Amino acid sequence: MFSDVFPGSPFVEGNNITLVIASKNIDEIKSLFNKLKEGGTVTMDLQETFWSKCYGSLTDKFGIGWQLSYDNGEMGV
């Protein structure tokens, strides 16, 4: 899945989409997030949101934007 720029965020060539990984395995989300943040920049550290018990976003060391979200179907989104 992919997403466009967050509301209120300026468009910069290269940030117009982010890749999204949604998984029913919370340990996988945490592991992937920690690997992708090495050399990158964390935008939002892993935390509970109204749509996910574990969500975070970052830009990896190659400039690729990522969103990782635990989705076990309980949040109704």
Side-chain angles (χ1 to χ4, degrees):
M1 180 166 61
F2 68 94
S3 176
D4 58 358
V5 177
F6 286 109
S9 297
F11 169 79
V12 176
E13 190 170 331
N15 82 342
N16 50 325
I17 66 164
T18 57
L19 300 176
V20 179
I21 296 175
S23 175
K24 294 181 180 187
N25 183 331
I26 198 165
D27 292 327
E28 178 181 42
I29 292 297
K30 291 176 180 180
S31 176
L32 290 170
F33 188 87
N34 287 327
K35 289 175 184 174
L36 287 167
K37 77 177 186 179
E38 291 177 14
T41 304
V42 174
T43 308
M44 182 176 176
D45 210 354
L46 289 175
Q47 59 190 272
E48 186 169 341
T49 65
F50 70 88
W51 68 88
S52 173
K53 291 194 181 282
C54 185
Y55 170 85
S57 62
L58 58 91
T59 301
D60 70 17
K61 64 183 176 184
F62 302 107
I64 307 298
W66 294 88
Q67 298 179 59
L68 291 98
S69 185
Y70 170 64
D71 178 12
N72 66 353
E74 290 181 2
M75 301 304 271
V77 177

Coordinates of all heavy atoms in Angstrom, one line a residue:
M1 N 0.8 -1.2 0.0 CA 0.0 0.0 0.0 C 0.9 1.2 0.0 O 2.1 1.2 0.4 CB -0.9 0.0 1.3 CG -1.8 1.1 1.4 SD -3.1 0.9 2.7 CE -2.2 0.7 4.1
F2 N 0.4 2.4 -0.4 CA 1.1 3.6 -0.3 C 0.2 4.7 0.1 O -1.0 4.6 0.0 CB 1.8 3.9 -1.7 CG 0.9 4.3 -2.8 CD1 0.6 5.6 -3.1 CD2 0.4 3.3 -3.6 CE1 -0.3 5.9 -4.1 CE2 -0.5 3.6 -4.6 CZ -0.8 4.9 -4.9
S3 N 0.7 5.9 0.5 CA 0.0 7.0 0.9 C 0.5 8.3 0.4 O 1.7 8.3 0.0 CB 0.0 7.0 2.5 OG -0.6 8.2 3.0
D4 N -0.3 9.3 0.3 CA 0.2 10.6 -0.2 C 0.8 11.4 1.0 O 0.8 10.9 2.1 CB -0.8 11.4 -1.0 CG -2.1 11.6 -0.2 OD1 -2.2 11.2 1.0 OD2 -3.0 12.3 -0.7
V5 N 1.1 12.7 0.7 CA 1.7 13.5 1.8 C 0.7 13.8 2.9 O -0.5 14.0 2.6 CB 2.1 14.9 1.1 CG1 2.7 15.9 2.1 CG2 3.2 14.7 0.0
F6 N 1.2 13.8 4.1 CA 0.3 14.1 5.3 C -0.3 15.5 5.2 O 0.4 16.4 4.7 CB 1.1 14.0 6.6 CG 1.4 12.6 7.0 CD1 2.7 12.1 6.9 CD2 0.4 11.7 7.4 CE1 3.0 10.8 7.3 CE2 0.7 10.4 7.8 CZ 2.0 10.0 7.7
P7 N -1.5 15.7 5.6 CA -2.1 17.0 5.6 C -1.2 18.0 6.3 O -0.7 17.7 7.4 CB -3.4 16.8 6.4 CG -3.8 15.4 6.2 CD -2.4 14.7 6.2
G8 N -1.0 19.2 5.7 CA -0.2 20.2 6.3 C 1.3 20.1 6.1 O 2.0 21.0 6.4
S9 N 1.7 19.0 5.5 CA 3.1 18.8 5.2 C 3.4 19.4 3.8 O 2.6 19.2 2.9 CB 3.5 17.3 5.2 OG 3.3 16.8 6.5
P10 N 4.5 20.1 3.7 CA 4.9 20.6 2.4 C 5.3 19.5 1.4 O 5.9 18.5 1.8 CB 6.1 21.5 2.7 CG 6.7 20.9 3.9 CD 5.5 20.3 4.7
F11 N 4.9 19.7 0.1 CA 5.3 18.7 -0.9 C 6.7 19.1 -1.3 O 7.1 20.2 -1.6 CB 4.4 18.9 -2.1 CG 5.0 18.1 -3.3 CD1 4.8 16.7 -3.4 CD2 5.6 18.8 -4.3 CE1 5.3 16.0 -4.5 CE2 6.2 18.1 -5.4 CZ 6.0 16.7 -5.5
V12 N 7.6 18.1 -1.2 CA 9.0 18.2 -1.7 C 9.1 17.0 -2.7 O 8.7 15.9 -2.3 CB 10.0 18.0 -0.5 CG1 11.4 18.0 -1.0 CG2 9.7 19.1 0.5
E13 N 9.7 17.3 -3.8 CA 9.8 16.2 -4.8 C 10.5 15.0 -4.1 O 11.6 15.1 -3.5 CB 10.7 16.7 -6.0 CG 10.7 15.7 -7.1 CD 11.3 16.2 -8.4 OE1 11.2 17.4 -8.6 OE2 11.8 15.4 -9.2
G14 N 9.9 13.9 -4.2 CA 10.4 12.7 -3.6 C 9.6 12.3 -2.3 O 9.6 11.1 -1.9
N15 N 8.8 13.2 -1.8 CA 8.0 12.8 -0.6 C 6.5 12.7 -0.9 O 5.7 12.6 0.0 CB 8.2 13.8 0.6 CG 7.3 15.1 0.5 OD1 6.8 15.4 -0.6 ND2 7.2 15.8 1.6
N16 N 6.2 12.6 -2.2 CA 4.8 12.6 -2.6 C 4.1 11.3 -2.2 O 2.8 11.3 -2.2 CB 4.6 13.0 -4.0 CG 5.5 12.2 -4.9 OD1 6.6 11.8 -4.6 ND2 5.0 11.9 -6.1
I17 N 4.8 10.2 -2.0 CA 4.2 9.0 -1.5 C 5.1 8.4 -0.4 O 6.3 8.6 -0.4 CB 4.0 7.9 -2.6 CG1 5.3 7.4 -3.2 CG2 3.0 8.5 -3.7 CD1 5.1 6.2 -4.0
T18 N 4.5 7.6 0.4 CA 5.3 6.7 1.4 C 4.7 5.3 1.2 O 3.6 5.1 0.9 CB 5.1 7.2 2.8 OG1 3.7 7.2 3.2 CG2 5.6 8.6 3.1
L19 N 5.6 4.4 1.4 CA 5.2 3.0 1.4 C 4.7 2.6 2.8 O 5.2 3.0 3.8 CB 6.4 2.1 1.0 CG 7.0 2.4 -0.3 CD1 8.3 1.6 -0.5 CD2 6.1 2.2 -1.4
V20 N 3.6 1.8 2.8 CA 3.0 1.4 4.0 C 3.0 -0.1 4.2 O 2.7 -0.9 3.2 CB 1.5 1.8 4.0 CG1 0.8 1.4 5.3 CG2 1.4 3.3 3.8
I21 N 3.5 -0.6 5.3 CA 3.4 -2.0 5.7 C 2.5 -2.1 6.8 O 2.6 -1.5 7.9 CB 4.8 -2.5 6.1 CG1 5.8 -2.4 4.9 CG2 4.7 -3.9 6.6 CD1 7.2 -2.8 5.3
A22 N 1.4 -2.9 6.6 CA 0.5 -3.2 7.7 C 0.6 -4.7 7.9 O 0.6 -5.5 7.0 CB -0.9 -2.9 7.3
S23 N 0.7 -5.1 9.2 CA 0.8 -6.5 9.5 C 0.0 -6.9 10.8 O -0.2 -6.0 11.6 CB 2.3 -6.8 9.8 OG 2.5 -8.1 10.2
K24 N -0.4 -8.1 10.8 CA -1.1 -8.6 12.0 C -0.1 -9.1 13.1 O -0.5 -9.6 14.1 CB -2.0 -9.7 11.6 CG -3.2 -9.2 10.8 CD -4.1 -10.4 10.4 CE -5.2 -9.7 9.6 NZ -6.3 -10.7 9.3
N25 N 1.2 -9.0 12.8 CA 2.3 -9.4 13.7 C 3.0 -8.2 14.2 O 3.8 -7.6 13.5 CB 3.3 -10.3 12.9 CG 4.3 -10.9 13.7 OD1 4.8 -10.3 14.7 ND2 4.8 -12.1 13.3
I26 N 2.7 -7.9 15.5 CA 3.3 -6.6 16.1 C 4.8 -6.7 16.2 O 5.5 -5.7 16.0 CB 2.7 -6.3 17.4 CG1 2.9 -4.9 17.8 CG2 3.1 -7.3 18.5 CD1 2.0 -4.4 19.0
D27 N 5.4 -7.9 16.4 CA 6.8 -8.1 16.5 C 7.5 -7.8 15.1 O 8.6 -7.2 15.1 CB 7.2 -9.5 17.0 CG 6.8 -9.7 18.4 OD1 6.8 -8.8 19.2 OD2 6.5 -10.9 18.8
E28 N 6.8 -8.2 14.0 CA 7.3 -7.9 12.7 C 7.3 -6.4 12.5 O 8.3 -5.8 11.9 CB 6.4 -8.5 11.6 CG 6.9 -8.2 10.2 CD 6.0 -8.9 9.2 OE1 4.7 -8.9 9.3 OE2 6.5 -9.4 8.2
I29 N 6.3 -5.7 12.9 CA 6.3 -4.2 12.7 C 7.4 -3.6 13.5 O 8.1 -2.7 12.9 CB 4.9 -3.6 13.2 CG1 3.8 -4.1 12.3 CG2 5.0 -2.1 13.4 CD1 3.9 -3.6 10.9
K30 N 7.7 -4.0 14.7 CA 8.7 -3.4 15.5 C 10.1 -3.7 14.9 O 11.0 -2.9 14.8 CB 8.7 -4.0 17.0 CG 7.5 -3.4 17.7 CD 7.4 -4.1 19.1 CE 6.2 -3.5 19.9 NZ 6.1 -4.1 21.2
S31 N 10.3 -4.9 14.4 CA 11.6 -5.3 13.8 C 11.9 -4.6 12.6 O 13.0 -4.0 12.4 CB 11.6 -6.8 13.5 OG 12.7 -7.2 12.9
L32 N 10.9 -4.5 11.7 CA 11.0 -3.7 10.4 C 11.3 -2.3 10.7 O 12.2 -1.6 10.1 CB 9.8 -3.9 9.5 CG 9.6 -5.3 8.9 CD1 8.2 -5.4 8.3 CD2 10.7 -5.6 7.9
F33 N 10.6 -1.7 11.6 CA 10.7 -0.3 12.0 C 12.2 0.0 12.4 O 12.8 0.9 12.0 CB 9.7 0.2 13.0 CG 9.7 1.6 13.3 CD1 8.9 2.5 12.6 CD2 10.5 2.2 14.3 CE1 8.9 3.8 12.8 CE2 10.5 3.6 14.5 CZ 9.7 4.4 13.8
N34 N 12.7 -0.9 13.3 CA 14.0 -0.7 13.9 C 15.1 -0.9 12.8 O 16.1 -0.1 12.8 CB 14.3 -1.6 15.0 CG 13.5 -1.2 16.3 OD1 13.3 0.0 16.5 ND2 13.0 -2.1 17.0
K35 N 14.9 -1.7 11.8 CA 15.8 -1.9 10.7 C 15.8 -0.7 9.8 O 16.8 -0.2 9.4 CB 15.5 -3.2 10.0 CG 15.9 -4.4 10.8 CD 15.5 -5.7 10.1 CE 15.8 -6.9 10.9 NZ 15.3 -8.2 10.3
L36 N 14.6 -0.3 9.5 CA 14.5 0.8 8.5 C 15.0 2.2 9.1 O 15.4 3.0 8.3 CB 13.0 1.0 8.0 CG 12.5 -0.1 7.1 CD1 11.0 0.0 7.0 CD2 13.2 0.1 5.7
K37 N 14.9 2.4 10.4 CA 15.3 3.6 11.0 C 16.8 3.8 11.1 O 17.3 4.9 11.2 CB 14.7 3.9 12.3 CG 15.3 3.1 13.5 CD 14.6 3.5 14.8 CE 15.2 2.9 16.0 NZ 14.6 3.2 17.2
E38 N 17.6 2.7 10.9 CA 19.1 2.8 10.9 C 19.6 3.6 9.8 O 19.4 3.3 8.6 CB 19.7 1.4 10.8 CG 19.4 0.5 12.0 CD 20.0 -0.9 11.9 OE1 20.8 -1.2 11.0 OE2 19.6 -1.8 12.7
G39 N 20.2 4.8 10.2 CA 20.7 5.7 9.2 C 19.6 6.6 8.6 O 19.9 7.4 7.8
G40 N 18.4 6.5 9.1 CA 17.3 7.3 8.6 C 16.8 8.3 9.6 O 17.5 8.6 10.6
T41 N 15.6 8.8 9.4 CA 15.0 9.8 10.2 C 13.6 9.4 10.6 O 12.7 9.2 9.8 CB 14.9 11.2 9.5 OG1 16.2 11.5 9.0 CG2 14.4 12.3 10.4
V42 N 13.4 9.3 11.9 CA 12.0 8.9 12.4 C 11.2 10.1 12.5 O 11.5 11.2 13.0 CB 12.1 8.3 13.9 CG1 10.8 8.0 14.4 CG2 13.0 7.0 13.8
T43 N 10.0 10.0 11.8 CA 9.0 11.1 11.8 C 8.1 11.0 13.0 O 7.7 11.9 13.7 CB 8.2 11.1 10.5 OG1 9.1 11.0 9.4 CG2 7.2 12.3 10.4
M44 N 7.6 9.7 13.3 CA 6.8 9.4 14.4 C 7.2 8.1 14.9 O 7.1 7.1 14.2 CB 5.3 9.4 13.9 CG 4.3 9.1 15.0 SD 2.7 9.3 14.3 CE 1.7 8.8 15.7
D45 N 7.7 8.0 16.1 CA 8.1 6.8 16.7 C 7.0 5.9 16.9 O 5.8 6.3 17.0 CB 8.8 7.0 18.1 CG 9.9 6.0 18.4 OD1 10.1 5.0 17.6 OD2 10.6 6.2 19.4
L46 N 7.2 4.6 17.0 CA 6.1 3.6 17.2 C 5.3 4.0 18.4 O 5.9 4.2 19.5 CB 6.7 2.2 17.3 CG 7.3 1.6 16.1 CD1 7.9 0.2 16.4 CD2 6.2 1.4 15.0
Q47 N 4.0 4.0 18.3 CA 3.1 4.4 19.4 C 1.7 4.0 19.0 O 1.4 3.7 17.9 CB 3.2 5.9 19.7 CG 2.8 6.7 18.5 CD 3.1 8.2 18.7 OE1 2.3 8.9 19.3 NE2 4.3 8.6 18.4
E48 N 0.8 4.0 20.0 CA -0.6 3.7 19.8 C -1.3 4.9 19.3 O -1.0 6.0 19.7 CB -1.2 3.2 21.1 CG -2.7 2.8 20.9 CD -3.3 2.1 22.1 OE1 -2.5 1.6 23.0 OE2 -4.5 2.0 22.2
T49 N -2.1 4.7 18.3 CA -2.9 5.7 17.7 C -4.4 5.3 17.8 O -4.7 4.2 18.2 CB -2.6 6.0 16.2 OG1 -2.9 4.8 15.5 CG2 -1.1 6.3 16.1
F50 N -5.3 6.1 17.3 CA -6.7 5.7 17.3 C -7.0 4.6 16.3 O -8.0 3.9 16.4 CB -7.7 6.9 17.1 CG -7.7 7.5 15.8 CD1 -8.5 7.0 14.8 CD2 -6.8 8.6 15.5 CE1 -8.5 7.6 13.5 CE2 -6.8 9.1 14.2 CZ -7.6 8.6 13.2
W51 N -6.1 4.4 15.3 CA -6.4 3.4 14.3 C -5.4 2.1 14.5 O -5.6 1.1 13.8 CB -6.2 3.9 12.9 CG -4.8 4.3 12.5 CD1 -3.9 3.5 12.0 CD2 -4.2 5.6 12.7 NE1 -2.7 4.2 11.8 CE2 -2.9 5.5 12.2 CE3 -4.6 6.8 13.2 CZ2 -2.0 6.6 12.2 CZ3 -3.8 7.9 13.1 CH2 -2.5 7.7 12.7
S52 N -4.4 2.2 15.3 CA -3.5 1.1 15.5 C -2.9 1.1 16.9 O -2.6 2.2 17.4 CB -2.4 1.2 14.4 OG -1.4 0.2 14.6
K53 N -2.7 -0.1 17.4 CA -2.0 -0.2 18.7 C -0.5 0.0 18.6 O 0.2 0.2 19.6 CB -2.3 -1.6 19.3 CG -3.7 -1.7 19.7 CD -3.9 -2.9 20.6 CE -5.3 -3.1 21.0 NZ -5.8 -2.2 22.0
C54 N 0.0 0.0 17.3 CA 1.5 0.2 17.1 C 1.7 0.8 15.7 O 1.6 0.1 14.7 CB 2.2 -1.1 17.2 SG 4.0 -1.0 17.1
Y55 N 1.9 2.1 15.6 CA 2.1 2.8 14.3 C 3.3 3.7 14.4 O 3.6 4.3 15.4 CB 0.9 3.6 14.0 CG 1.1 4.5 12.8 CD1 0.9 4.1 11.5 CD2 1.5 5.8 13.0 CE1 1.1 4.9 10.4 CE2 1.8 6.7 11.9 CZ 1.6 6.2 10.6 OH 1.8 7.0 9.6
G56 N 4.1 3.8 13.3 CA 5.2 4.7 13.2 C 5.5 5.1 11.8 O 5.1 4.3 10.9
S57 N 6.2 6.2 11.6 CA 6.6 6.6 10.3 C 8.0 7.1 10.3 O 8.5 7.6 11.3 CB 5.7 7.6 9.7 OG 5.7 8.8 10.5
L58 N 8.7 6.9 9.2 CA 10.1 7.3 9.1 C 10.5 7.4 7.6 O 9.8 7.1 6.7 CB 11.0 6.3 9.8 CG 10.9 4.8 9.3 CD1 11.9 4.5 8.2 CD2 11.1 3.9 10.4
T59 N 11.7 8.0 7.4 CA 12.4 8.0 6.1 C 13.6 7.2 6.3 O 14.4 7.5 7.2 CB 12.7 9.5 5.7 OG1 11.4 10.2 5.7 CG2 13.3 9.5 4.3
D60 N 13.8 6.3 5.4 CA 15.0 5.4 5.5 C 16.3 6.1 5.0 O 16.2 7.3 4.5 CB 14.8 4.0 4.9 CG 14.7 4.1 3.4 OD1 15.1 5.1 2.7 OD2 14.2 3.1 2.8
K61 N 17.4 5.5 5.1 CA 18.7 6.1 4.7 C 18.8 6.4 3.2 O 19.6 7.1 2.8 CB 19.8 5.2 5.1 CG 19.9 3.8 4.5 CD 21.0 3.0 5.0 CE 21.0 1.6 4.4 NZ 22.1 0.8 5.0
F62 N 17.8 5.8 2.4 CA 17.8 6.1 1.0 C 16.8 7.2 0.6 O 16.6 7.5 -0.6 CB 17.5 4.8 0.2 CG 18.4 3.7 0.5 CD1 18.0 2.6 1.3 CD2 19.7 3.7 0.0 CE1 18.9 1.6 1.6 CE2 20.6 2.7 0.3 CZ 20.2 1.6 1.1
G63 N 16.1 7.8 1.6 CA 15.2 8.8 1.4 C 13.8 8.3 1.1 O 12.9 9.1 0.7
I64 N 13.5 7.0 1.3 CA 12.2 6.5 1.1 C 11.3 6.6 2.3 O 11.8 6.2 3.4 CB 12.3 5.0 0.7 CG1 13.2 4.7 -0.5 CG2 10.9 4.4 0.4 CD1 12.9 5.4 -1.8
G65 N 10.1 7.1 2.2 CA 9.2 7.3 3.3 C 8.5 6.0 3.6 O 8.0 5.3 2.6
W66 N 8.3 5.7 4.9 CA 7.6 4.4 5.3 C 6.7 4.7 6.4 O 6.9 5.6 7.2 CB 8.7 3.4 5.8 CG 9.6 2.9 4.8 CD1 10.8 3.4 4.5 CD2 9.5 1.7 4.0 NE1 11.4 2.7 3.5 CE2 10.6 1.6 3.2 CE3 8.5 0.8 3.9 CZ2 10.8 0.6 2.3 CZ3 8.6 -0.3 3.0 CH2 9.8 -0.4 2.2
Q67 N 5.5 4.0 6.4 CA 4.6 3.9 7.5 C 4.4 2.5 7.9 O 4.2 1.7 7.0 CB 3.3 4.5 7.1 CG 3.3 6.0 6.7 CD 1.9 6.5 6.3 OE1 1.0 6.4 7.1 NE2 1.8 6.9 5.1
L68 N 4.5 2.1 9.1 CA 4.4 0.8 9.6 C 3.2 0.7 10.6 O 3.2 1.6 11.5 CB 5.7 0.2 10.2 CG 6.7 0.0 9.1 CD1 7.7 1.2 9.1 CD2 7.5 -1.2 9.3
S69 N 2.3 -0.2 10.4 CA 1.1 -0.2 11.2 C 0.7 -1.6 11.6 O 0.6 -2.5 10.7 CB 0.0 0.5 10.5 OG -1.2 0.6 11.3
Y70 N 0.5 -1.9 12.9 CA 0.0 -3.1 13.3 C -1.5 -3.1 13.1 O -2.2 -2.2 13.5 CB 0.3 -3.3 14.8 CG -0.4 -4.5 15.5 CD1 -0.1 -5.8 15.1 CD2 -1.3 -4.2 16.5 CE1 -0.8 -6.8 15.7 CE2 -1.9 -5.3 17.1 CZ -1.6 -6.6 16.7 OH -2.3 -7.6 17.4
D71 N -2.0 -4.2 12.4 CA -3.5 -4.2 12.1 C -4.0 -5.6 12.4 O -3.8 -6.5 11.6 CB -3.7 -3.9 10.6 CG -5.1 -3.9 10.2 OD1 -6.0 -4.0 11.1 OD2 -5.4 -3.9 9.0
N72 N -4.6 -5.8 13.6 CA -5.2 -7.0 13.9 C -6.7 -7.0 13.7 O -7.4 -8.0 14.1 CB -4.9 -7.5 15.3 CG -5.5 -6.6 16.4 OD1 -6.1 -5.5 16.0 ND2 -5.4 -6.9 17.6
G73 N -7.2 -5.9 13.1 CA -8.7 -5.8 12.8 C -9.5 -5.3 13.9 O -10.7 -5.1 13.8
E74 N -8.9 -5.1 15.1 CA -9.7 -4.6 16.3 C -10.1 -3.1 16.2 O -11.0 -2.7 16.9 CB -8.9 -4.9 17.6 CG -8.8 -6.3 17.9 CD -8.1 -6.6 19.2 OE1 -7.7 -5.6 19.9 OE2 -7.9 -7.7 19.6
M75 N -9.3 -2.3 15.5 CA -9.5 -0.9 15.6 C -10.6 -0.4 14.7 O -11.1 0.7 14.7 CB -8.2 -0.1 15.3 CG -7.1 -0.5 16.2 SD -7.4 -0.2 17.9 CE -6.9 1.5 18.1
G76 N -11.1 -1.3 13.8 CA -12.2 -0.9 12.9 C -11.9 0.0 11.8 O -12.7 0.7 11.3
V77 N -10.6 0.1 11.4 CA -10.2 1.0 10.3 C -9.7 0.2 9.2 O -9.0 -0.8 9.4 CB -9.2 2.0 10.8 CG1 -8.7 2.9 9.7 CG2 -9.7 2.9 12.0

